[in-house]
Amino acid sequence: MRGFGDVAGRLKLLLRPGVRRTLVGAVAADSVGQGVLIATTTFYMLRVAGLTAVQVGSGLTLAAVLGIVVSTPIGHAADRWNPLRLTVLMTALQAVAVLGFIVVHNLLSYLLVTAFQAIAVASASVTGAAMLPTIVPPEQRVRTRATTRVTSNVGISVGVGIGGVAVGVGSADLYRLLFAVSAIGLLLSAWFFDRLRRYQTLPSPVAASGTDQDASAPADTDPAAPQERSDDSAAGALKDRPFLVVTVISALLAINDGLLTVALPLWISQATSVPPWIYSVAIVLNTLAVVLFQIPLSRSSETTAGAGRALRISGVALATACLLWAVAGSPDTAWPAAALVLVGCVAHVIGELTSSAGGWALSYALAPEHAHGRYQGVFGTGQQISNAVVPVVTGVFLINNGVGGWAIVAGVLLVAGLGAPRAVAWAERTPPRTSPLPAEATGRIS
C-alpha cells in the first residue's frame, strides 16, 4: 500500500535540511514535553502537591475557558506583529509555566500556574498556525500540517511513555525532574521555531496587508472576481459568515476526539460485554493509522473542493462509527461486540483523518493572506470550544441516552459532513477570499 511504501521517502525528505526538518524538530521537541505533562501533571497535583480531584478539575476547567477566550484576540495580535516571533515567545513561556508546577503547593498557586500555561498553550497554537503561511507556500500547507500532526502524535506517545515511569515510581523528585525535562523540550522547540526566521521568504501577514498587497497577487487573478475586503478589526473574521459556518462544521466534526477518548471507554465499560483491553488495542491502532495515513490522505484536501469533500467523508465515517458502537451494546457475547467496536474504530479514524485535513485546508484557503492570524484565531476558538465542552457532553449524553444518544450524535455528524461542500462553495463565492488552492500540488519545500 502507498501509505507504507512512502514512509521511507517521507523520512528521507524530513531529514533533509530546510523548513520541513526545522519545523518537525520544533514540533517533536514540543510534543515530547507535552506528552510528559499529560502523563504526570494530574498525578503530581494529587499525590505530591496535595490537591483534591475537585481542585484539579477546577484548574482544567479554567484552562479550557481561557483557551477559548484568548484564541481570537491572539489571532489579531499575530496579524499585527510577527506570528513567528510570537510563537517563539509563547513556546518559551510554556517552559516557564511548566517549571512553575514544581512550586505548586495549594489551590491558588495551582490555578495561577495553570492559567498562565493555558494562555501560552492556546496562544502558541494560534500563532503557530498563523506563522505557517509565512514560511510555506499555499500548495504545501495542508501536507505540512499533516506532517506536523504525525510528528506530534509520535512525540506525545514518547512523552507519555517517559512520564509513565514517574507515575509508576511515584517519587516526588522524579516528577520534578521530568517537569524540568519537559521545560527543556519546550525551550528546544522555541529555539527550532526561532531558526525558521531564515526561511520566511513569503510576505508576512503585516506586509501583505500594506499598500503592496496587490502587487503580490497572482497574475492570473480574474479582475471580475470578488476582491479581498480589508478589515483590520479584531472582529473581521467574525463577520465572515460563510467562514463561521465552515468553522462550526469543523468544530462539530472535531468531537471525534471526545468520542474516542471519553465516550467510547465509558460505553465499553458500562454498556457492552467488550473486554476493557480492546480499548487499548483501539488506541494503538488509531495512533498507527494517524502516523501512516495522515499525510497520504491529506493529498485529497489540496483544493478547496477536495477539502469540502473530505469533511463530507468525515461526517459519513464518524456517523457510521457511532452507529457501529451503538450496536456493539446489543450482543451478549464479547467477541461479536468487540468486532463491532474495532470496525467502528476503523470508520472513526477515517473520519478523524479527513476531518483534520479538510479543516486545515479550509482554515487557510478561505482566509485573506493578510489576515491568517485573525482567521486562525476564530477557527481555533471553534476547536477550543469543541475540545472543552464536547467530550464531557458527549460522554454524559451518550451514556445516559444509550443507543438513542448515539443515533442523535450520528445524525448531527452526518448533517454537518453532508453540508460541508455547500458551505465551502458559499464561502468561495463570498469576499473576503484568497485565491483557491491549486488543483495540483506543484511546489516542494526544501
Side-chain angles (χ1 to χ4, degrees):
M1 295 181 67
R2 189 170 183 176
F4 291 94
D6 283 353
V7 172
R10 292 201 301 267
L11 182 60
K12 183 178 179 180
L13 182 61
L14 291 180
L15 295 177
R16 192 170 64 191
V19 170
R20 202 183 292 267
R21 189 174 76 172
T22 307
L23 186 58
V24 165
V27 173
D30 176 90
S31 58
V32 170
Q34 299 292 355
V36 170
L37 293 179
I38 290 171
T40 59
T41 304
T42 298
F43 290 102
Y44 176 84
M45 296 305 164
L46 294 172
R47 297 176 179 178
V48 179
L51 302 180
T52 67
V54 172
Q55 289 173 330
V56 173
S58 66
L60 296 176
T61 301
L62 175 64
V65 172
L66 288 174
I68 294 170
V69 170
V70 305
S71 291
T72 297
I74 196 66
H76 185 242
D79 284 337
R80 293 180 62 85
W81 296 291
N82 189 314
L84 179 51
R85 291 183 178 179
L86 285 176
T87 302
V88 173
L89 174 63
M90 293 303 168
T91 305
L93 289 179
Q94 289 180 62
V96 175
V98 170
L99 293 176
F101 283 133
I102 297 175
V103 299
V104 168
H105 62 281
N106 57 28
L107 178 60
L108 178 60
S109 59
Y110 170 62
L111 292 178
L112 289 174
V113 174
T114 298
F116 184 68
Q117 185 208 25
I119 292 172
V121 170
S123 298
S125 176
V126 173
T127 59
M131 167 269 295
L132 196 67
T134 71
I135 60 172
V136 179
E139 67 272 10
Q140 289 292 321
R141 290 169 188 170
V142 177
R143 196 172 302 181
T144 301
R145 284 293 296 267
T147 300
T148 59
R149 187 187 183 213
V150 170
T151 304
S152 178
N153 273 37
V154 174
I156 287 175
S157 298
V158 172
V160 168
I162 295 172
V165 174
V167 173
V169 174
S171 165
D173 289 338
L174 184 54
Y175 276 116
R176 296 185 182 109
L177 175 62
L178 288 184
F179 283 146
V181 169
S182 177
I184 291 171
L186 289 164
L187 289 174
L188 181 60
S189 176
W191 178 77
F192 272 116
F193 277 126
D194 188 61
R195 288 177 63 84
L196 285 170
R197 285 189 297 172
R198 69 181 69 180
Y199 302 115
Q200 282 191 295
T201 56
L202 299 184
S204 69
V206 175
S209 63
T211 57
D212 294 335
Q213 181 177 340
D214 292 338
S216 62
D220 58 351
T221 300
D222 182 1
Q227 299 299 306
E228 292 184 7
R229 181 177 65 237
S230 178
D231 187 346
D232 292 327
S233 70
L238 293 172
K239 299 175 183 178
D240 189 343
R241 289 183 294 174
F243 182 80
L244 292 179
V245 172
V246 171
T247 296
V248 170
I249 289 173
S250 184
L252 287 172
L253 296 176
I255 73 170
N256 66 76
D257 183 64
L259 291 176
L260 182 67
T261 61
V262 179
L264 182 59
L266 289 174
W267 182 250
I268 287 175
S269 62
Q270 297 187 25
T272 75
S273 57
V274 176
W277 60 266
I278 289 291
Y279 179 69
S280 298
V281 173
I283 293 298
V284 171
L285 292 175
N286 178 273
T287 302
L288 289 174
V290 170
V291 170
L292 292 173
F293 300 116
Q294 181 69 81
I295 296 174
L297 282 179
S298 70
R299 296 187 184 114
S300 64
S301 297
E302 289 176 343
T303 65
T304 49
R309 289 192 297 269
L311 294 186
R312 180 173 61 195
I313 292 171
S314 176
V316 173
L318 292 174
T320 301
C322 288
L323 296 177
L324 287 169
W325 289 341
V327 176
S330 300
D332 294 328
T333 54
W335 294 114
L340 288 169
V341 166
L342 291 176
V343 174
C345 287
V346 172
H348 173 276
V349 79
I350 293 172
E352 177 185 350
L353 297 175
T354 51
S355 170
S356 298
W360 296 330
L362 295 172
S363 70
Y364 289 121
L366 301 181
E369 281 296 319
H370 72 284
H372 278 294
R374 274 159 285 183
Y375 275 69
Q376 288 296 330
V378 170
F379 189 81
T381 299
Q383 301 296 303
Q384 291 282 355
I385 292 173
S386 180
N387 292 339
V389 177
V390 174
V392 176
V393 172
T394 54
V396 174
F397 176 76
L398 290 173
I399 298 306
N400 289 340
N401 293 277
V403 174
W406 283 106
I408 292 173
V409 172
V412 171
L413 292 169
L414 184 62
V415 170
L418 294 179
R422 181 168 296 184
V424 171
W426 177 31
E428 287 190 292
R429 295 192 304 267
T430 308
R433 202 67 58 215
T434 61
S435 298
L437 287 172
E440 298 290 342
T442 57
R444 283 197 176 276
I445 302 174
S446 62

